[in-house]
């Protein structure tokens, strides 16, 4: 299998694993199934519960606030350290002994949540921590017929493991104290700015690389046609161009195949399955990084000869000496990332391999005209919306977001993502963007620059600046929507596709180039050896 075929196969995997833009777990959880009513109208918010045992700082847990009761402080410095006591009886369904402002730890069950909170408040508790009987969190609501919901203390649900730890400390006569607060996520995190720059910069570099390669191929084509037209005609259709053009059939099949693969990931998501994805990602990352480094180093005179000298290698075929020289570095980087991918700085290696893979894919895979680009992005637009929003009706959760986060796999998401840790977010987590949200619109943006260069259009008169700007704005609007939804995952293509594709189609129609863009995808050159002289490159 040659390099091109391997990269194309990796592309298929990448496109099928195109999750939407997402971030850390939601702070505010909206729930239409549990309707609000007076006295029971709080949003479900995550709550930080740092603990101290015998005056020494211990573990920090995360709980969820109830529909009823007062809201919690958002600032850690305003939340007081309060001692925890165990309810007696533990379910807090009967009258408790009088307290002096402690936090009461109780078990779930045997009576309603509001009944427990009312009993704890009557005992002068300052708050109530309810231990769930599962490791997951549960949303505490008011029963339909309950009238006594005017509760003056906050109630927080803890997962079973956290509550059991606290209970064991109390049973061992340890002094346990906690803080209860729910910090707000910042309106904009610097991680989102860097992720935006990474996505836009990757498409920018890939577009110029693709356009430069296309122009070099066009100049070579014209040179051969000028020097020996008869010999050139015999060469037509012989050999490989090194590029893969997508057609409309492939664009439509993408939705079907990607949907099937996404469902398979959702159903089979496990540790071993993610390990397979890690291996595939490493193979693609090595191929991509190797291709990018060889192309970059070949621009320098010192490495040019090594890049043009080849040796035959079993299985892999003819490889340049430069490729053989950079391959060990690429393999070592991928292996090191795979082994240490759980450490805090592993995202750097993942982003390096991911960007290199995206650049290589956008260099090799191309759309021949705007028609194919429109079909591809339109299908991807519907695909993204369906699997982020509509899939909740069938699966009770967003299939794409679950796959992107790597739920049920004990892994921090699948590797086919660019990610940056949220730097000023008290809840931590990552801002992420799927490869498909860069590759799919990137194919159209790269096509616009290839057309501009082949048509000898100046930068301000062409389509690339408009397409690039439209993509940047679409991605920016995605982040705005992401923050307005308090970090809830958003389908990036919902915003990117209308901006990018709408701008390109409208501008092409207005300038009278729509027919050529839609069908041919490149300008007519009656005398190409005259129109594409190197001297005209200075005008670009």
């Amino acid at each position: 299998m040659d390099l091109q075929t391997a990269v194309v196969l990796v592309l298929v995997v990448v496109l099928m694993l195109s999750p939407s833009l997402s971030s850390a777990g939601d702070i505010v959880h909206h729930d239409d199934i549990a309707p609000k009513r007076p006295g029971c109208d709080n949003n479900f918010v995550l709550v930080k519960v740092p603990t101290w045992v015998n005056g020494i700082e211990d573990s920090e847990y995360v709980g969820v606030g109830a529909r009823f009761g007062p809201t919690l402080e958002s600032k850690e410095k305003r939340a007081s350290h309060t001692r925890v006591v165990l309810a007696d009886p533990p379910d807090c369904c009967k009258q408790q002994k009088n307290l002096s402002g402690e936090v009461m730890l109780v078990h779930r069950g045997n009576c309603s949540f509001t009944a427990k909170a009312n009993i704890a408040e009557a005992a002068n508790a300052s708050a109530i921590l309810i231990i769930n009987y599962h490791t997951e969190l549960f949303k505490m609501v008011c029963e339909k017929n309950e009238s006594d919901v005017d509760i003056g203390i906050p109630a927080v649900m803890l997962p079973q493991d956290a509550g059991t730890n606290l209970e064991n400390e109390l049973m061992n006569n340890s002094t346990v104290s906690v803080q209860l607060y729910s910090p707000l996520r910042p309106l904009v995190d610097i991680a989102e700015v860097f992720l935006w720059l990474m996505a836009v910069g990757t498409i920018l570099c890939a577009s110029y690389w693709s356009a430069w390669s296309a122009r070099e191929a066009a100049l070579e084509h014209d040179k051969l046609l000028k020097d020996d037209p008869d010999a050139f005609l015999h060469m037509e259709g012989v050999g490989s161009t090194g590029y893969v053009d997508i057609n409309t059939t492939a664009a439509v099949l993408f939705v079907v195949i990607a949907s099937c693969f996404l469902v398979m990931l959702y159903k089979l998501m496990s540790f071993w399955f993610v390990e397979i994805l890690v291996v595939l990602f490493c193979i693609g990352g090595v191929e991509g990084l190797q291709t990018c480094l060889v192309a970059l180093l070949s621009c320098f005179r010192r490495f040019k000869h090594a890049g043009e000298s080849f040796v035959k290698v079993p299985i892999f075929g003819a490889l340049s000496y430069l490729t053989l020289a950079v391959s060990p570095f690429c393999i070592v980087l991928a292996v090191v990332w795979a082994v240490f991918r759980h450490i805090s700085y592993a995202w750097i290696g993942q982003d390096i391999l991911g960007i290199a893979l995206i650049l290589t894919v956008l260099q090799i895979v191309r759309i021949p005209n705007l028609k194919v680009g429109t079909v591809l992005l339109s299908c991807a637009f519907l695909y993204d919306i369906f699997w982020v929003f509509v899939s909740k009706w069938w699966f009770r959760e967003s299939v794409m977001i679950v796959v992107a986060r790597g739920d049920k796999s004990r892994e921090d998401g699948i590797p086919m993502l660019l990610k940056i840790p949220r730097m000023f977010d008290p809840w931590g987590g990552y801002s992420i963007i799927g490869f498909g949200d860069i590759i799919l619109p990137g194919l159209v943006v790269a096509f616009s620059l290839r057309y501009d260069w082949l048509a000898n259009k100046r930068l301000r008169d062409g389509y690339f600046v408009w397409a690039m700007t439209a993509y940047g704005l679409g991605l920016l609007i995605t982040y705005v929507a992401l923050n307005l939804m308090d970090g809830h995952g958003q389908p990036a293509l919902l915003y990117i596709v209308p901006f990018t594709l709408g701008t390109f189609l409208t501008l092409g129609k207005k300038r009278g180039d729509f027919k050529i863009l839609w069908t041919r995808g490149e300008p007519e050159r009656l005398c190409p050896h005259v129109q594409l002289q190197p001297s005209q490159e200075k005008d670009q």
Side-chain angles (χ1 to χ4, degrees), residues 11-265:
L11 167 67
V12 174
V13 176
V14 168
L15 293 181
M16 288 194 234
L17 299 176
S18 166
S20 72
L21 190 72
S22 183
S23 65
D26 304 341
I27 296 172
V28 178
H29 294 249
H30 301 284
D31 193 342
D32 295 331
I33 299 177
K36 297 181 180 181
R37 61 189 177 93
C40 195
D41 54 0
N42 295 339
N43 290 322
F44 296 108
V45 297
L46 293 182
V47 180
K48 283 183 177 285
V49 188
T51 64
W52 287 260
V53 178
N54 295 326
I56 300 174
E57 188 172 357
D58 199 59
S59 302
E60 180 178 276
Y61 304 110
V62 175
V64 62
R67 195 63 121 179
F68 50 84
T71 57
L72 291 164
E73 287 286 350
S74 61
K75 301 289 185 180
E76 181 181 6
K77 60 183 179 181
R78 296 178 183 173
S80 59
H81 291 240
T82 309
R83 185 179 175 183
V84 180
V85 296
L86 187 62
D88 184 21
D91 60 10
C92 195
C93 291
K94 295 181 180 179
Q95 184 177 359
Q96 300 286 313
K97 64 180 180 179
N98 195 47
L99 303 178
S100 55
E102 289 89 349
V103 174
M104 186 175 288
L105 182 68
V106 309
H107 283 249
R108 177 184 173 186
N110 299 329
C111 59
S112 68
F113 297 121
T114 52
K116 296 176 188 291
N118 278 314
I119 293 172
E121 184 180 10
N124 294 321
S126 60
I128 181 172
L129 295 176
I130 301 178
I131 306 173
N132 195 16
Y133 41 64
H134 295 295
T135 54
E136 296 83 10
L137 293 173
F138 186 84
K139 297 176 181 178
M140 296 183 289
V141 299
C142 303
E143 299 292 339
K144 291 182 178 180
N145 298 326
E146 286 183 318
S147 58
D148 191 7
V149 294
D150 186 15
I151 299 169
I153 62 172
V156 177
M157 171 71 71
L158 288 178
Q160 185 182 43
D161 52 352
T164 301
N165 290 340
L166 293 179
E167 185 177 18
N168 290 337
E169 294 291 350
L170 292 171
M171 296 293 288
N172 291 332
N173 297 319
S174 299
T175 300
V176 180
S177 60
V178 297
Q179 273 185 307
L180 301 177
Y181 66 103
S182 181
L184 301 176
R185 174 167 285 156
L187 185 61
V188 178
D189 192 274
I190 192 68
E192 295 172 354
V193 177
F194 283 116
L195 199 62
W196 184 91
L197 291 173
M198 285 170 57
V200 172
T202 299
I203 291 183
L204 187 67
C205 294
S207 298
Y208 272 93
W209 187 9
S210 178
W212 180 83
S213 300
R215 186 167 62 174
E216 289 296 308
L219 289 171
E220 185 66 22
H221 173 281
D222 297 338
K223 184 176 182 297
L224 291 173
L225 184 60
K226 179 181 179 181
D227 293 343
D228 193 350
D230 294 333
F232 177 79
L233 290 176
H234 291 292
M235 293 173 60
E236 288 284 343
V238 179
S240 174
T241 61
Y243 310 116
V244 176
D245 283 339
I246 300 175
N247 55 34
T248 53
T249 302
V252 174
L253 284 177
F254 158 74
V255 177
V256 179
I257 297 174
S259 297
C260 294
F261 204 87
L262 194 66
V263 172
M264 183 179 69
L265 278 177

Side-chain angles (χ1 to χ4, degrees), residues 265 269-271 274 277 399-415 417 432:
L265 278 177
M269 182 63 69
S270 61
F271 175 77
V274 173
L277 297 182
V399 171
M400 189 174 287
I401 292 177
V402 169
V403 171
R405 289 196 306 242
D407 293 0
K408 308 173 186 177
S409 66
R410 293 179 292 162
E411 293 276 341
D412 188 20
I414 63 174
L417 302 163
I432 63 176

Side-chain angles (χ1 to χ4, degrees), residues 4 12 110 132 153 155 168-169 327 337 396 434 443 452 480 491:
Q4 176 186 338
V12 174
N110 299 329
N132 195 16
I153 62 172
N168 290 337
E169 294 291 350
S327 292
W337 172 82
R396 298 185 179 180
L443 291 172
D452 288 351
V480 172

Side-chain angles (χ1 to χ4, degrees), residues 370-392:
L370 192 54
K371 177 183 178 181
V372 174
T374 301
V375 173
L376 179 64
L377 286 189
S378 298
C379 291
F381 174 81
L382 297 175
Y383 165 84
D384 232 16
I385 293 175
F386 181 86
W387 289 111
V388 174
F389 294 137
V390 183
S391 62
K392 294 180 181 179

